Amino acid sequence: MREDVEFRTEDGVTLRGWHYSPDGIDGPAPLVVMAHGFSAVKEHLLDDFAQHFAAGGLGVLVYDNRNLGASDGSPRGEIDPWQQVRDYRTAITWAGTQPWADPDRIGVWGSSYSGGHALVVAALDRRVKCVVSQVPLVSGLQNARRLIRADAFAGLRAAFDADRAARYAGSEPAMIQVAYEKDPAEMAALPTEDTHDFFFGPVQDRAPSWRNEVTLRSVEMFVEYEPGAYIADISPTPLMMVVAAKDHLTVADLTLEYYERAKQPKELLVLPVGHFDAYVDDAFAVSAPAQLRWFRTHLG
């Protein structure tokens, strides 16, 4: 069963999402806390994972990140990775006060940008007893250098500086598209064809609250974010990492390099697909049961 829920952060922002009750359990249950990646909202296929986990006996809390989707917060489209990490930890705190969650059996799940957050939260917060990080960002700077041509990177940094000066003078934050809409030459935060195909494909009708814009400083914060630096500190919390072998958005070879830095207990699942394929079809059919098994093993 799914119900709408909302909770307030320490700075007074209301975050909204869903709670999935686990099949076959009446009372406090193990819980997985989930949020989505860069600009995405919960309707971007997180409900499929949540339903699968709930059918397997896990409670699930899924919510929209602040400034996005159904959640409050301003400026709209602002994506601050460290604020999102803090909100994950607030979600854990709030869930632990609810009658349907066992506060001693909480896991975290993240994918893409939030896959990086899951690594950080698991390293910093020992209330987390298990973590799944799917196609995660592990290094903002190294990843940005893969996505942005070297001759364009200086121009991007100049745009960051100009936006900072304009904000200091009282202007609103500059905005940038998440994905190009028609022409690959359009400036976009995630300038890949598969990003366009995901957000403007069939899933678009499932997520009407999504907006194809974020603040430019969200991209600046992306470049400065290094969640993989925390990966060796996750142990002894069990870590499963799911990597898409053909991923060129959060590039697979870089993710695999960082996985080697993680300590036991850990498990790696490599899917022979691209970044967004990890959410659907054959990859989902392989990955979701493996993730459920991991959570059930370590959350009891």
Side-chain angles (χ1 to χ4, degrees):
M1 183 182 71
R2 187 178 88 183
E3 61 177 335
D4 293 339
V5 295
E6 63 180 48
F7 58 96
R8 293 178 68 81
T9 65
E10 292 185 18
D11 58 343
V13 175
T14 297
L15 305 183
R16 298 184 178 88
W18 303 316
H19 168 245
Y20 287 78
S21 299
D23 290 356
I25 298 179
D26 184 17
L31 183 79
V32 177
V33 177
M34 306 173 64
H36 220 315
F38 192 88
S39 90
V41 295
K42 60 188 182 298
E43 292 85 358
H44 281 126
L45 306 179
L46 291 198
D47 42 350
D48 291 349
F49 284 92
Q51 289 168 12
H52 186 84
F53 295 160
L58 302 174
V60 186
L61 172 62
V62 187
Y63 66 93
D64 282 334
N65 287 305
R66 67 169 63 207
N67 311 328
L68 302 171
S71 290
D72 290 347
S74 62
R76 300 304 289 177
E78 178 96 318
I79 302 172
D80 180 338
W82 282 105
Q83 184 61 68
Q84 291 184 351
V85 165
R86 289 192 289 273
D87 289 344
Y88 253 105
R89 301 181 75 179
T90 298
I92 293 168
T93 300
W94 176 77
T97 69
Q98 301 306 300
W100 35 257
D102 182 343
D104 295 321
R105 293 190 291 167
I106 291 180
V108 293
W109 183 100
S111 187
S112 195
Y113 209 40
S114 69
H117 303 344
L119 299 176
V120 177
V121 173
L124 296 179
D125 198 324
R126 291 303 169 192
R127 296 175 299 174
V128 175
K129 298 303 189 289
C130 183
V131 56
V132 171
S133 178
Q134 176 176 278
V135 293
L137 176 81
V138 292
S139 171
L141 182 58
Q142 292 185 70
N143 215 96
R145 285 173 169 161
R146 301 289 191 93
L147 292 174
I148 303 166
R149 291 198 331 258
D151 60 344
F153 207 84
L156 179 64
R157 289 199 179 278
F160 292 159
D161 294 342
D163 179 49
R164 187 179 296 276
R167 296 196 317 268
Y168 187 76
S171 297
E172 292 296 314
M175 307 299 290
I176 185 174
Q177 293 184 121
V178 177
Y180 72 81
E181 294 198 17
K182 296 181 180 179
D183 185 351
E186 297 171 20
M187 181 175 288
L190 305 178
T192 64
E193 183 178 359
D194 58 345
T195 301
H196 167 273
D197 293 347
F198 177 77
F199 284 116
F200 295 107
V203 74
Q204 184 177 18
D205 293 336
R206 292 178 59 163
S209 67
W210 179 74
R211 297 290 178 266
N212 186 31
E213 62 175 8
V214 294
T215 61
L216 181 60
R217 67 180 166 189
S218 298
V219 181
E220 184 175 21
M221 288 186 280
F222 177 109
V223 173
E224 296 170 349
Y225 186 42
E226 297 293 325
Y230 289 83
I231 198 166
D233 298 318
I234 294 172
S235 179
T237 302
L239 165 67
M240 169 178 274
M241 185 176 287
V242 180
V243 177
K246 299 178 183 178
D247 195 335
H248 53 256
L249 187 61
T250 54
V251 290
D253 63 300
L254 191 59
T255 309
L256 291 168
E257 176 188 330
Y258 274 76
Y259 174 78
E260 294 302 319
R261 304 180 188 182
K263 300 172 185 176
Q264 297 291 346
K266 63 180 181 178
E267 182 172 320
L268 176 67
L269 175 62
V270 179
L271 304 170
V273 298
H275 184 86
F276 294 101
D277 299 321
Y279 298 90
V280 297
D281 300 333
D282 292 345
F284 176 87
V286 171
S287 183
Q291 295 177 30
L292 173 61
R293 170 187 54 77
W294 187 253
F295 280 126
R296 284 173 60 103
T297 297
H298 297 290
L299 296 182

